Amino acid sequence: MEGMEDEGPSSQGEPPHIEDVQLSAEELMYVESSAPLENMCEYKEAVHKLTEGLLSHYLPGLQNSKRTLQELTQNQLILLDTLDQEVTKFRDCNTLLDLNSLFTEAKVYHNKLVSIRKEMILIHERTTKLKKRALKLQQHKQKEALEREHQREKELERERQLIAKPAKRT
């Protein structure tokens, strides 16, 4: 295992890759059991440096990704609010269209009411004229009936006068 230290990427001046750092469980047990205490400190220091290197390599990108995701989330919230406002505007437009149709319908019904009112006024005038005419006709018929009755009484009186009366003896 000591030969592995010399062949690693850190001896060549390149940053260590995560694949190079990973050891199998058997290799770790071998290293722990056979390595002296000095090598353990070196391993801990190497693990610490590799961890720092790994964090310094990936952490800025992850933090940048986190900021980008936060911005995206904030932009999504803004878009959702804007979309909600647009939906509200469309609902208001539909309400206005409904109001316009109601006003149009009300105008149509108003016109119908006006025409019905005119018809009722005309019908009232006609019935008033017909009532007057009927009253005149009734009065005329009563007058004619009265005249006929009067004429018949005259004729009856005339017939009575024409009937021979026995002369009175004196």
Side-chain angles (χ1 to χ4, degrees):
M1 292 303 269
E2 288 183 25
M4 287 181 78
E5 282 182 10
D6 295 335
E7 295 175 13
S10 59
S11 63
Q12 296 173 357
E14 293 180 10
H17 292 288
I18 190 93
E19 296 87 21
D20 297 336
V21 176
Q22 292 179 348
L23 300 174
S24 69
E26 292 176 8
E27 290 173 333
L28 280 175
M29 289 187 91
Y30 176 75
V31 167
E32 287 179 7
S33 63
S34 64
L37 193 56
E38 294 173 9
N39 286 342
M40 283 303 265
C41 288
E42 288 178 14
Y43 284 125
K44 285 184 181 179
E45 188 178 324
V47 167
H48 181 68
K49 287 182 179 180
L50 287 173
T51 305
E52 284 181 5
L54 183 68
L55 285 176
S56 67
H57 182 71
Y58 287 108
L59 193 61
L62 290 173
Q63 287 175 340
N64 191 23
S65 296
K66 182 180 179 182
R67 278 193 304 272
T68 305
L69 284 174
Q70 286 174 343
E71 288 176 16
L72 285 173
T73 304
Q74 187 177 5
N75 289 341
Q76 277 184 333
L77 290 175
I78 292 170
L79 282 174
L80 284 173
D81 287 342
T82 306
L83 203 72
D84 189 39
Q85 290 172 359
E86 292 298 320
V87 166
T88 304
K89 286 179 186 178
F90 279 121
R91 284 186 184 144
D92 290 344
C93 286
N94 286 338
T95 304
L96 287 175
L97 289 176
D98 291 342
L99 284 176
N100 287 337
S101 67
L102 283 175
F103 279 120
T104 304
E105 193 174 339
K107 187 175 181 178
V108 168
Y109 285 122
H110 176 73
N111 290 338
K112 285 183 179 182
L113 283 173
V114 167
S115 66
I116 289 173
R117 184 171 182 248
K118 285 179 183 178
E119 283 183 43
M120 289 180 71
I121 290 171
L122 286 173
I123 290 172
H124 177 70
E125 288 174 359
R126 287 180 186 169
T127 55
T128 305
K129 287 179 183 178
L130 284 174
K131 283 180 183 177
K132 286 181 182 178
R133 186 174 174 201
L135 184 62
K136 284 182 183 179
L137 284 173
Q138 185 180 11
Q139 288 173 348
H140 184 60
K141 282 187 178 184
Q142 285 176 349
K143 189 177 179 182
E144 283 181 359
L146 190 62
E147 285 178 8
R148 271 189 257 130
E149 187 66 32
H150 190 60
Q151 188 72 9
R152 197 166 23 138
E153 283 179 13
K154 279 185 181 180
E155 283 182 24
L156 283 175
E157 186 62 33
R158 189 172 167 217
E159 280 181 27
R160 272 191 241 147
Q161 288 177 359
L162 288 178
I163 296 179
K165 295 182 184 173
K168 293 186 178 175
R169 292 187 192 180
T170 44

